[in-house]
Amino acid sequence: MAATKASKEQKYDRQLRLWGDHGQEVLENAHVCLINATASGTEILKNLVLPGIGAFTIIDGHTVLGEDVGNNFFLSQNSIGRNRAQAATELLQELNSDVSGNFVEESADQLLDNDPEFFHRFSIVIGVQLSESTRLRLGSVLWAVGVPFLVCWTYGLMGYMRLVVKEHTVIESHPDNALEDLRLDRPFSELTDHIQSYQLESMEKKDHSHTPWIVIIAKFLETWLTEHDGQPPKNYKEKEAFRQMIREGILKKENGVREDEENFEEAVKNVNTALNPTKVPSSVEDLFNSEQCTNITSQSAAFWVMLRAVKEFVLHEGKGCLPARGTIPDMISDSQRFINLQNVYRDKALQDAAAVAKHVESLLQTTGKVLGKNAAFLRVVHCRSLAEEYAVESVNKDEITSCMDSPDSEMVLYLMLRSVDRFYQQHSRYPGVYNYQVEEDISKLKLCVTSLLQEYNLNVSIKDDYIHEFCRYGAAEPHTVAAFLGGAAAQEVIKMVSHQFVPFNNTFIYNAMSQTSATYQL
Amino acid sequence: MIERCFILSFREKKTRRVVALTEKMVVEGGAGDGEWEGRWNHIQKFLERPGPFTHPDFEASSESLQFMLETCKVLIIGAGGLGCELLKDVALSGFHNIHVVDMDTIDLSNLNRQFLFRLKDVGQPKAEVAADFINTRIPGCCVVPHFKKIQDFDETFYRQFHIIVCGLDSVIARRWMNGMLLSLLVYEDGVVDPSSIIPLIDGGTEGFKGNARVILPGITACIDCTLELYPPQINFPMCTIASMPRLPEHCVEYVRMLLWPKDKPFGDTVGLDGDDPEHIKWVYQRSLERAAEFSITGVTYRLTQGVVKRIIPAVASTNAVIAAACATEVFKIASSAYAPLNNYMVFNDVDGLYTYTFEAERKDNCSACSQVPLDMRFSSSSTLQEVLDYLTESSYLQMKSPAITASVEGKNKTLYLQTVASIEQRTRPNLSKTLKELGLADGQELAVADVTTPQTMLFRLSFTS
């Protein structure tokens, strides 16, 4: 047992450094469903099986065709004639013995007819190359029971993803380039006491040159505040003057030349960061004011209970501030004083986290240590339902129309895909699949485009070139486009399952022709 | 404009070779096994149908697939995270003549993303296992593996490929490949001969970030033109490591850089091997001790290993995305179906999905594709042979078979090139001519390419008399 655990840690080492052991655990307890084992589908699953998703189930009633094997790494020549779900499951399962693979030899529509509750058991359902009607049926079933639904479609040189989830909460969003939480404008008492213990004027050179810049700025800020009526440097001119003040603090040699004090240089460089006012980000304020946070009931999800606890903290112990994050960036300093300074922030964070936990207890019986250091980065994603996107009353006209001001924006690809949906509805096939159909289908597809735009009252025009191009595609699913989508979609699934990092909201379009992409909220 | 010439010449290049191979095929008696109906349906639509967005020089034809399957040679550098994906993507896009180079063997930690390898393959050469898997899974595909470093090959090897795709994990290796392809360029009348251009498609990933770029050597920005896009390695100052550690990383670096060479724990000549768990364990224990001395928390086994091996986190999904984008470019260029990416795409899926595509610009003073020249002093009556001897015999340069190009009356001219028989014959008479006779002037710049230095070197000629 120990051997397997150790070798799993080694095998997954490179990804554990991204989402941690706790993220991996959630992944290993998840069960994802894939509908249709086309190239796009198997590529998505490959990128979930490799990192060790707990289980997958493929639902597919199709029989493997020659062209399926041609673009799909997880079907082989002797799969031809067999059920596609079964054939793909074998070759996907072979990738990772930690994962449990299952298949159902039925179409999604059949399951929806006979046993819609079958879908309730999944952490997320991924539907690939679905017709509009199947998509909408699935969308409605999954929306009702709160199972996230990811729609994926590779159509010619276009990749399309739509995330459908009522509410998805993220505690660990892992933002790039987050601002530091230094509290220099509103120092807590322990920080003030700690700063007091430094006397820059009476330090020996060695200590002076290795005093952490946070302390330096705090000291000079104290002086500035007394000289400026308690007002910190606000504009560029004042900040420059403040920087100059710090520079003047650099030790001078006997001949009046300044010493080389890198820690003071660091202080000067970090003035802007240090003077960032400590406040609750507006995104978090919005969450505080949301209905879910205001009305905590016995039905409230843990995330909202914890968020409410943070809100209570802000109102009481925090005196308007979030729980302290507790980390400081590395900086020039001797070890002792850096560690001591770091501990001041760390202890404060622990204190604040304990206070948050107390609030949580009084709301519920859970703790929120992870919550403390991520408080500023909490995110909630709400996606509109497919029904809302497709209904004439609620279609996002504004977004579509304004994007189409640039007639070659990715939005045109979205509209073409919706038009192709119509074509399929009318003709029970996709345009241009066979060579002889390409020419004649152009006018038929154009009619679909026109009717789509009319029905939604969209005052946009679509170039004929795109209509021709979409007939040319003949609903082809080239492997490289499917593989791109496979990587993109799989990572969104991992985000959904682990609640780490922020998923997209809610439509992603990839244009392989121009190697560009766009995200729309439709 | 130049890009159009390149696409045209690429097509001509491939037309010639299709004819040659078909004859050969008749002699050898038939196509490979493992064909079935409909196999190439998805791809054929792009090759056999005209369309409104295709490249102006694209011609819909059923011959393109034949070229891609039978003649087009693609080189994939790296059989790791990106390499495995590239092999699959390129093979399933209709390319059956693929070579792959990788100097590494398989490690357990590769298995979370390098899907051509299994537990039983740990310790085996990546290139060989990858080639085997692809050749078995995809009938008719012939991947030739090379368990070698890229530097083990010379330009005769690289010249045979139509397209080269890199899935490397080091900037140095990229620059070497970049330099190699620049050294293959032939100039005629001041213009790059398009048939000497081998497109280089380069992909890189790190955690949730990645990029894909298309380089047409001599035409677009090269690797060195955009060196600032490659983040510098984090190296902590020595005084921090030696006497003022603050972070757990400082403690590990102390053990790695100072304690290990002093204690030599596994023997006098035994260097620290990041892949040896016993070594890492030793470093970990000592790092904990060091950290305790300074009340630093956070030293873990995982952190220790990460610092010693300079580990970059990696997942299957990012590699899948970037490799796919690169393979799409391979397809576009080989088929001339669409204009290639011009020329750099960045991808990041930490928060939603973000891509940014832009045209990286050539740098006027790029060290690789437009360098600052070195001085070379000769009399105007010296012969080109004397210059050649200097390049090969000087202890400082020790070149093997340098190719010399000069800018004469504003146009680039290849003065001598040994490695392509036809060009060698054509330029051999130049060797006995004097520099003056060749039309070279004082202050003249000479570009010299050679296998010993993958980068074309620039010299400035100073006449002594």
Side-chain angles (χ1 to χ4, degrees):
Chain A
M1 276 315 267
T4 11
K5 187 163 183 274
S7 67
K8 262 172 77 169
E9 260 204 59
Q10 273 184 283
K11 179 160 86 163
Y12 298 133
D13 178 83
R14 299 300 186 269
Q15 71 204 36
L16 293 174
R17 290 167 193 275
L18 291 167
W19 53 67
D21 297 307
H22 60 294
Q24 185 66 26
E25 202 184 317
V26 182
L27 218 59
E28 292 179 11
N29 287 322
H31 186 171
V32 306
C33 171
L34 169 72
I35 301 173
N36 289 333
T38 70
S40 307
T42 55
E43 286 299 306
I44 297 172
L45 275 190
K46 151 179 144 292
N47 298 319
L48 292 171
V49 169
L50 287 170
I53 198 91
F56 67 87
T57 297
I58 303 181
I59 297 173
D60 196 343
H62 292 94
T63 306
V64 178
L65 300 172
E67 68 178 27
D68 292 336
V69 184
N71 76 346
N72 195 328
F73 193 74
F74 298 95
L75 295 173
S76 60
Q77 202 178 353
N78 53 32
S79 312
I80 298 178
R82 292 171 55 205
N83 169 267
R84 201 165 62 179
Q86 180 186 35
T89 299
E90 276 168 27
L91 291 181
L92 282 164
Q93 171 74 85
E94 190 269 326
L95 282 173
N96 188 350
S97 54
D98 294 341
V99 176
S100 139
N102 313 280
F103 60 92
V104 175
E105 294 183 28
E106 281 180 57
S107 73
D109 279 305
Q110 282 171 307
L111 271 175
L112 283 167
D113 289 334
N114 302 323
D115 183 18
E117 290 183 15
F118 182 79
F119 295 102
H120 295 192
R121 75 194 65 192
F122 299 114
S123 320
I124 182 168
V125 172
I126 307 158
V128 153
Q129 319 291 85
L130 300 172
S131 71
E132 180 176 327
S133 70
T134 312
R135 204 186 305 150
L136 290 172
R137 283 184 78 190
L138 267 169
S140 136
V141 164
L142 297 173
W143 185 265
V145 290
V147 172
F149 181 32
L150 182 64
V151 178
C152 297
W153 200 352
T154 298
Y155 201 95
L157 292 184
M158 170 191 181
Y160 165 83
M161 285 204 292
R162 169 61 154 102
L163 181 63
V164 191
V165 63
K166 221 179 280 185
E167 176 179 284
H168 176 80
T169 59
V170 185
I171 295 179
E172 291 175 275
S173 60
H174 300 282
D176 267 340
N177 305 319
L179 294 173
E180 300 287 348
D181 181 27
L182 302 177
R183 303 295 168 101
L184 288 172
D185 59 331
R186 312 175 58 162
F188 44 94
S189 56
E190 295 87 344
L191 182 59
T192 310
D193 290 343
H194 186 77
I195 303 290
Q196 298 280 22
S197 68
Y198 289 84
Q199 300 298 333
L200 281 172
E201 311 76 32
S202 55
M203 278 183 203
E204 300 253 321
K205 176 172 187 313
K206 184 143 195 261
D207 281 345
H208 197 263
S209 307
H210 292 92
T211 299
W213 67 252
I214 289 179
V215 174
I216 296 175
I217 293 190
K219 281 295 193 188
F220 283 94
L221 189 59
E222 256 171 49
T223 313
W224 177 283
L225 290 172
T226 45
E227 292 172 5
H228 290 82
D229 217 19
Q231 294 302 316
K234 292 222 173 67
N235 53 38
Y236 177 76
K237 198 163 153 213
E238 290 179 357
K239 286 183 187 172
E240 255 315 294
F242 185 61
R243 285 192 195 97
Q244 194 51 32
M245 239 179 111
I246 297 174
R247 283 194 199 99
E248 298 294 325
I250 297 177
L251 286 180
K252 292 198 175 73
K253 295 200 249 246
E254 275 157 9
N255 56 9
V257 171
R258 288 217 191 110
E259 293 276 14
D260 200 5
E261 301 204 280
E262 267 186 73
N263 57 331
F264 274 76
E265 304 294 335
E266 276 189 339
V268 167
K269 247 200 291 215
N270 283 290
V271 161
N272 258 334
T273 314
L275 295 179
N276 251 320
T278 304
K279 61 174 195 266
V280 178
S282 58
S283 55
V284 180
E285 277 288 2
D286 290 341
L287 291 179
F288 284 166
N289 296 330
S290 69
E291 199 266 323
Q292 297 97 316
C293 184
T294 316
N295 300 320
I296 298 295
T297 71
S298 59
Q299 297 304 309
S300 295
F303 175 87
W304 295 107
V305 174
M306 295 196 282
L307 186 75
R308 174 62 174 274
V310 174
K311 180 179 178 177
E312 294 303 319
F313 172 89
V314 170
L315 290 170
H316 299 100
E317 300 90 340
K319 301 193 183 57
C321 297
L322 288 171
R325 197 170 313 152
T327 56
I328 56 172
D330 189 28
M331 61 191 71
I332 292 174
S333 166
D334 60 279
S335 312
Q336 177 96 11
R337 293 191 293 169
F338 178 82
I339 299 298
N340 290 344
L341 181 65
Q342 191 181 60
N343 285 338
V344 168
Y345 283 92
R346 228 177 239 185
D347 291 342
K348 174 71 171 143
L350 286 172
Q351 215 184 79
D352 288 355
V356 170
K358 269 233 170 70
H359 283 289
V360 174
E361 264 181 66
S362 68
L363 288 163
L364 233 219
Q365 302 290 327
T366 36
T367 56
K369 192 167 159 198
V370 171
L371 203 57
K373 69 174 174 176
N374 285 287
F377 314 124
L378 301 171
R379 299 276 294 274
V380 179
V381 172
H382 292 118
C383 298
R384 298 211 309 162
S385 69
L386 285 179
E388 286 174 87
E389 176 185 342
Y390 284 56
V392 174
E393 322 82 68
S394 49
V395 66
N396 194 343
K397 268 182 79 168
D398 289 342
E399 176 81 327
I400 296 175
T401 325
S402 69
C403 287
M404 287 303 290
D405 279 343
S406 328
D408 299 304
S409 84
E410 280 74 21
M411 185 56 82
V412 74
L413 302 178
Y414 168 76
L415 292 172
M416 283 315 305
L417 214 58
R418 295 291 308 273
S419 306
V420 153
D421 270 339
R422 260 161 213 240
F423 190 103
Y424 185 82
Q425 253 170 15
Q426 283 171 28
H427 304 276
S428 299
R429 65 177 177 84
Y430 288 104
V433 173
Y434 294 101
N435 285 350
Y436 74 86
Q437 290 171 330
V438 181
E439 270 307 308
E440 50 187 66
D441 282 350
I442 292 176
S443 46
K444 294 197 184 102
L445 184 57
K446 185 154 188 181
L447 287 174
C448 295
V449 172
T450 314
S451 88
L452 177 82
L453 298 179
Q454 264 172 10
E455 181 179 324
Y456 288 109
N457 200 6
L458 291 166
N459 193 9
V460 304
S461 61
I462 294 182
K463 291 185 195 169
D464 281 345
D465 282 347
Y466 287 103
I467 301 175
H468 180 178
E469 183 76 348
F470 270 68
C471 283
R472 175 175 186 252
Y473 286 160
E477 190 185 10
H479 183 82
T480 60
V481 186
F484 186 103
L485 203 62
Q491 194 50 41
E492 296 309 300
V493 169
I494 292 175
K495 289 179 189 175
M496 293 300 296
V497 164
S498 67
H499 289 268
Q500 291 189 38
F501 306 95
V502 185
F504 72 110
N505 183 2
N506 55 40
T507 300
F508 174 78
I509 298 191
Y510 166 62
N511 182 346
M513 187 168 74
S514 57
Q515 299 283 23
T516 54
S517 73
T519 301
Y520 304 121
Q521 253 192 39
L522 297 176
Chain B
M1 181 56 195
I2 293 174
E3 194 246 305
R4 278 196 65 167
C5 291
F6 162 72
I7 297 286
L8 259 171
S9 137
F10 195 97
R11 245 186 9 153
E12 276 159 24
K13 204 180 189 181
K14 73 190 194 194
T15 316
R16 274 202 296 277
R17 277 145 127 185
V18 169
V19 170
L21 200 66
T22 309
E23 285 168 11
K24 187 168 180 247
M25 274 173 59
V26 167
V27 167
E28 285 183 338
D33 53 43
E35 274 308 311
W36 57 87
E37 208 188 298
R39 181 177 189 180
W40 303 110
N41 278 357
H42 292 281
I43 295 182
Q44 264 160 331
K45 286 161 188 167
F46 294 95
L47 301 175
E48 295 176 2
R49 297 174 175 191
F53 296 112
T54 56
H55 194 277
D57 300 321
F58 172 70
E59 273 174 25
S61 120
S62 55
E63 269 180 29
S64 300
L65 180 60
Q66 223 187 343
F67 164 72
M68 282 162 53
L69 278 171
E70 295 159 10
T71 312
C72 189
K73 258 175 148 170
V74 179
L75 174 63
I76 294 175
I77 314 251
L82 282 169
C84 287
E85 296 281 342
L86 285 168
L87 280 165
K88 161 182 70 75
D89 294 347
V90 167
L92 287 176
S93 296
F95 299 93
H96 278 192
N97 291 296
I98 305 171
H99 284 236
V100 63
V101 177
D102 195 311
M103 62 186 199
D104 269 337
T105 55
I106 299 162
D107 181 71
L108 182 51
S109 67
N110 298 149
L111 303 185
N112 80 325
R113 65 204 183 281
Q114 298 173 26
F115 63 95
L116 300 176
F117 313 139
R118 299 290 174 270
L119 192 55
K120 63 173 171 51
D121 302 319
V122 171
Q124 299 295 324
K126 288 189 180 184
E128 291 170 13
V129 178
D132 212 41
F133 198 116
I134 296 282
N135 291 337
T136 309
R137 183 63 65 88
I138 303 180
C141 191
C142 178
V143 179
V144 177
H146 301 277
F147 177 33
K148 293 223 160 91
K149 301 199 298 292
I150 52 174
Q151 292 88 347
D152 291 336
F153 296 102
D154 65 13
E155 46 86 75
T156 51
F157 175 75
Y158 292 108
R159 232 188 249 287
Q160 67 181 296
F161 297 103
H162 291 85
I163 301 176
I164 298 181
V165 199
C166 286
L168 289 163
D169 59 1
S170 105
V171 180
I172 296 171
R174 281 186 176 85
R175 291 182 72 184
W176 194 91
M177 260 333 289
N178 183 63
M180 167 53 71
L181 295 189
L182 285 169
S183 73
L184 299 180
L185 296 177
V186 173
Y187 288 85
E188 227 149 296
D189 289 331
V191 180
V192 174
D193 172 6
S195 72
S196 68
I197 299 175
I198 298 178
L200 175 64
I201 300 170
D202 181 68
T205 61
E206 208 174 290
F208 295 124
K209 304 183 188 172
N211 58 78
R213 65 190 298 184
V214 172
I215 295 172
L216 298 177
I219 300 181
T220 64
C222 77
I223 299 283
D224 285 48
C225 289
T226 56
L227 268 182
E228 75 278 1
L229 290 175
Y230 296 99
Q233 245 190 359
I234 300 175
N235 278 320
F236 305 114
M238 220 3 144
C239 57
T240 304
I241 296 175
S243 51
M244 260 178 266
R246 297 176 298 268
L247 304 177
E249 288 83 351
H250 299 159
C251 303
V252 178
E253 286 289 72
Y254 168 83
V255 176
R256 180 182 77 87
M257 297 175 77
L258 298 174
L259 204 56
W260 180 287
K262 189 165 77 109
D263 285 4
K264 305 196 223 276
F266 290 83
D268 266 359
T269 54
V270 180
L272 172 50
D273 176 6
D275 292 320
D276 189 333
E278 290 304 309
H279 289 205
I280 298 289
K281 214 162 77 177
W282 189 91
V283 174
Y284 171 51
Q285 302 291 359
R286 300 295 168 292
S287 303
L288 279 173
E289 287 165 19
R290 174 81 170 164
E293 248 183 270
F294 293 89
S295 308
I296 295 173
T297 59
V299 173
T300 61
Y301 186 92
R302 187 177 291 162
L303 182 135
T304 303
Q305 200 180 34
V307 172
V308 170
K309 293 178 71 172
R310 298 275 194 265
I311 290 177
I312 298 175
V315 276
S317 57
T318 320
N319 283 317
V321 166
I322 295 300
C326 290
T328 295
E329 293 308 308
V330 173
F331 180 82
K332 284 182 193 169
I333 290 175
S335 66
S336 313
Y338 291 90
L341 165 66
N342 183 21
N343 56 43
Y344 201 114
M345 180 186 86
V346 170
F347 172 85
N348 182 341
D349 64 358
V350 169
D351 186 340
L353 300 115
Y354 169 80
T355 66
Y356 176 60
T357 308
F358 65 101
E359 186 179 339
E361 285 177 356
R362 281 186 85 173
K363 241 200 234 158
D364 283 336
N365 58 349
C366 171
S367 56
C369 67
S370 53
Q371 310 131 295
V372 176
L374 295 168
D375 255 287
M376 195 193 261
R377 319 192 96 224
F378 283 97
S379 139
S380 58
S381 54
S382 310
T383 60
L384 189 63
Q385 181 71 57
E386 284 171 75
V387 175
L388 193 69
D389 291 339
Y390 163 74
L391 293 171
T392 52
E393 287 161 17
S394 124
S395 53
Y396 166 68
L397 296 167
Q398 292 187 55
M399 293 191 174
K400 279 229 197 82
S401 47
I404 309 173
T405 308
S407 179
V408 180
E409 274 145 23
K411 298 186 207 167
N412 268 342
K413 187 173 144 181
T414 299
L415 297 176
Y416 183 65
L417 190 147
Q418 273 178 270
T419 49
V420 177
S422 58
I423 304 180
E424 199 279 325
Q425 261 187 327
R426 183 161 54 79
T427 55
R428 199 184 307 153
N430 289 339
L431 288 175
S432 46
K433 296 200 181 133
T434 67
L435 302 180
K436 194 159 172 217
E437 279 169 351
L438 289 168
L440 301 176
D442 187 28
Q444 176 86 48
E445 267 178 27
L446 296 177
V448 180
D450 183 79
V451 130
T452 53
T453 158
Q455 286 164 287
T456 302
M457 292 181 75
L458 274 187
F459 293 90
R460 176 161 282 126
L461 198 54
S462 301
F463 284 159
T464 53
S465 57

